[in-house]
Amino acid sequence: MRKYIFMSLMLISMVVCLSMTSCKAWRTITTTATYTQVTDTAKVTTTISTKTVEEYTGVKK
């Protein structure tokens, strides 16, 4: 009886391990843009920064 339970648990754990073929990951994308406006009397520089965090699922090959 013990041997049957042990073998069943081993089989279940192997199936779980093999089925875990994906993982979650996060990537951060930062973008910066600078704009300069020049007139006869002034120079104005504006910087716009954006930060995006994306979640994606990677697949094990």
Side-chain angles (χ1 to χ4, degrees), residues 3-60:
K3 187 177 181 181
Y4 176 73
I5 293 172
F6 178 74
M7 292 298 283
S8 297
L9 289 174
M10 242 174 100
L11 180 63
I12 290 170
S13 64
M14 285 178 61
V15 168
V16 168
C17 262
L18 292 174
S19 67
M20 295 178 65
T21 59
S22 66
C23 63
K24 286 194 176 191
W26 293 265
R27 62 180 161 220
T28 303
I29 301 168
T30 305
T31 306
T32 304
T34 303
Y35 300 96
T36 304
Q37 181 180 5
V38 179
T39 63
D40 291 337
T41 58
K43 179 179 178 182
V44 178
T45 302
T46 304
T47 302
I48 300 171
S49 296
T50 59
K51 179 179 177 182
T52 305
V53 178
E54 296 178 347
E55 180 181 332
Y56 64 96
T57 302
V59 177
K60 193 182 211 182

